[in-house]
Amino acid sequence: MEERRRTDDGIVKEAIILPRAELRESEGAVHGAFDYAELARFGLDAGAVIDFSANSNPFGPTPAVTAALAAVDPACYPDRECLALRRALADHLCAAPDEIVAGNGAAEILWLIAFAFLRRGERVLIVGPTFGEYARMAQLMGAEIVHWRATAADGFAVDAGSMAARIDATQPRIVFLCNPNNPTGAVVEAGVLAAWAAASPQILFVIDEAYIAFTDGMPSAHALRLPNLLVVRSMTKEYALAGLRLGYALGPPALIAGLAAARVPWNVNAYAQAAGLAALGDAAYLQRTLAQLRAAKSDLLAGLIAQGYAPLPSATNFFLLPVEDGARLRAHLLAQGVLVRDCASFGLPHHIRIAARRPEENAKLLNALEKTKDNGRKTNA
Ligand SMILES: Cc1ncc(COP(=O)(O)O)c(C=O)c1O
């Protein structure tokens, strides 16, 4: 914790307080969405840039959310247990309130899982390429990280048999799987998850369903109701509440109680709770905007194919696009007011990730790409 720095002649020069070694060694995780310091460096105003790098509902929240926010009293502490929200979620998900714990975004839920269930030196198996927070959280807890990685050659599909063998060989404390996966959009069927989890009751399976609402009715792993499986959900994506931060875990009451015990008090603020309730109450808005988004995504894919690109199939609202140099293309597009996710941090420097947006915004992306030389185009390069 405390380190004394010595000069060459051995005299103590200063004492400095250092964070834990895991924190000093952490490389952090790279995320999409605006980097405001970067925008400032480029002299760009966030309001003038269209963000295809964050995978949220581009139609924004229902107007019911705006009304609910106006009624919140900022002077009152929020409900520590998020009871009204958990009851509404329970109705919505055919679950019980004690199967749910709410968090300050799914990101906090992932943190709580690592904090509650991971001990220093234990192993974590991450199914990649995937969201960087699983590795960051595991590393901060002092865990040993092992990977199973899908390949472009296999269309980023997760091979059930090969994963089962990896689970068997590595005997991790936790398996992290994003389903559908960020950034590939690949899906692992519930039956496969059930077989893995049943074969290894001592292993906690964390299934991150942050993007499940954007699929065509993919069933949740929660329906399996397994004692060693936790589902992570975000309400910042389909309900467009990224700025407010809201997510939850869904699972057996015993595991949920462990997460609840690890929270900071009042972890979900009053605005987020009110917004979540209002968003859940307007199912028609959600269904309408998700249907519009699906149509917009399919038009965008057609536009990219017409330009000679070969977007990869994805079960959700975003997809990978093979390009020559993701970082360079991202920089070119940003200069034109369009932000995409360069996938180098996923180990995919020749891909960008694009989240479909509203039709008029997608047209701007296609237009910007048209003006940008990229030899990753397959046919008319
Ligand atoms: C797979 C995945 N899980 C969790 C999160 C965190 O979501 P939230 O905004 O709810 O914290 C993200 C955000 O990008 C994500 O991509």
Side-chain angles (χ1 to χ4, degrees):
M1 161 96 54
E2 188 177 324
E3 184 176 273
R4 298 193 183 282
R5 282 199 185 149
R6 290 172 187 276
T7 56
D8 287 346
D9 54 9
I11 295 165
V12 174
K13 193 79 174 158
E14 57 179 325
I16 49 174
I17 309 293
L18 297 170
R20 289 191 298 117
E22 289 86 359
L23 286 165
R24 281 179 311 192
E25 286 154 15
S26 171
E27 289 168 12
V30 176
H31 294 300
F34 293 138
D35 170 347
Y36 288 88
E38 178 189 48
L39 293 182
R41 273 199 310 280
F42 281 91
L44 291 165
D45 172 19
V49 178
I50 308 175
D51 187 5
F52 292 85
S53 76
N55 307 318
S56 305
N57 186 338
F59 294 94
T62 154
V65 163
T66 322
L69 291 177
V72 173
D73 177 357
C76 274
Y77 275 98
D79 173 8
R80 275 195 301 270
E81 299 303 328
C82 299
L83 253 183
L85 177 65
R86 282 168 49 228
R87 284 192 181 126
L89 279 168
D91 276 355
H92 183 73
L93 300 160
C94 300
D98 66 354
E99 292 180 294
I100 299 166
V101 63
N104 187 36
E108 189 199 11
I109 297 294
L110 293 170
W111 170 258
L112 292 177
I113 291 170
F115 190 53
F117 295 113
L118 203 50
R119 291 154 192 87
R120 183 178 299 245
E122 286 183 333
R123 217 167 275 148
V124 157
L125 174 55
I126 297 175
V127 185
T130 195
F131 188 49
E133 284 299 315
Y134 314 135
R136 189 175 82 93
M137 293 301 151
Q139 193 256 329
L140 292 184
M141 296 311 297
E144 183 194 336
I145 301 171
V146 291
H147 296 274
W148 185 93
R149 201 175 152 87
T151 62
D154 291 332
F156 293 109
V158 176
D159 183 79
S162 153
M163 248 301 282
R166 191 96 177 107
I167 294 169
D168 221 34
T170 55
Q171 287 299 312
R173 165 66 56 202
I174 303 183
V175 173
F176 281 104
L177 173 85
C178 187
N179 205 30
N181 186 40
N182 172 12
T184 61
V187 163
V188 176
E189 300 298 330
V192 170
L193 301 179
W196 293 343
S200 300
Q202 76 287 8
I203 297 175
L204 174 60
F205 288 80
V206 175
I207 311 301
D208 184 345
E209 295 182 351
Y211 299 107
I212 196 167
F214 298 99
T215 65
D216 216 357
M218 170 184 159
S220 169
H222 178 61
L224 299 169
R225 287 218 155 60
L226 295 170
N228 56 334
L229 190 148
L230 272 174
V231 166
V232 177
R233 289 283 187 85
S234 170
M235 292 186 71
T236 70
K237 314 295 183 194
E238 72 266 31
Y239 296 110
L241 301 175
L244 280 169
R245 320 296 308 125
L246 190 58
Y248 58 95
L250 195 53
L255 298 185
I256 292 297
L259 299 183
R263 290 168 301 173
V264 296
W266 311 290
N267 64 327
V268 181
N269 70 67
Y271 290 92
Q273 292 188 37
L277 263 175
L280 285 170
D282 194 351
Y285 177 87
L286 181 71
Q287 293 319 322
R288 189 169 67 247
T289 52
L290 292 186
Q292 286 170 328
L293 184 58
R294 272 195 288 277
K297 177 188 164 197
S298 102
D299 289 348
L300 174 59
L301 290 173
L304 288 167
I305 291 165
Q307 284 192 16
Y309 285 102
L312 302 190
S314 157
T316 185
N317 55 329
F318 52 80
F319 54 88
L320 286 175
L321 190 69
V323 299
E324 187 181 75
D325 179 337
R328 193 177 60 200
L329 182 58
R330 175 187 180 278
H332 281 300
L333 292 173
L334 185 55
Q336 297 178 65
V338 164
L339 180 62
V340 296
R341 176 71 154 86
D342 143 34
C343 291
S345 68
F346 294 109
L348 303 170
H350 304 297
H351 292 78
I352 57 171
R353 189 193 67 205
I354 295 174
R357 295 194 58 94
R358 300 197 307 257
E360 64 279 15
E361 296 174 315
N362 294 341
K364 286 187 182 152
L365 170 63
L366 289 170
N367 191 33
L369 277 168
E370 192 61 69
K371 291 195 220 139
T372 308
K373 180 176 172 313
D374 174 65
N375 294 327
R377 294 171 209 222
K378 297 287 180 236
T379 56
N380 60 355

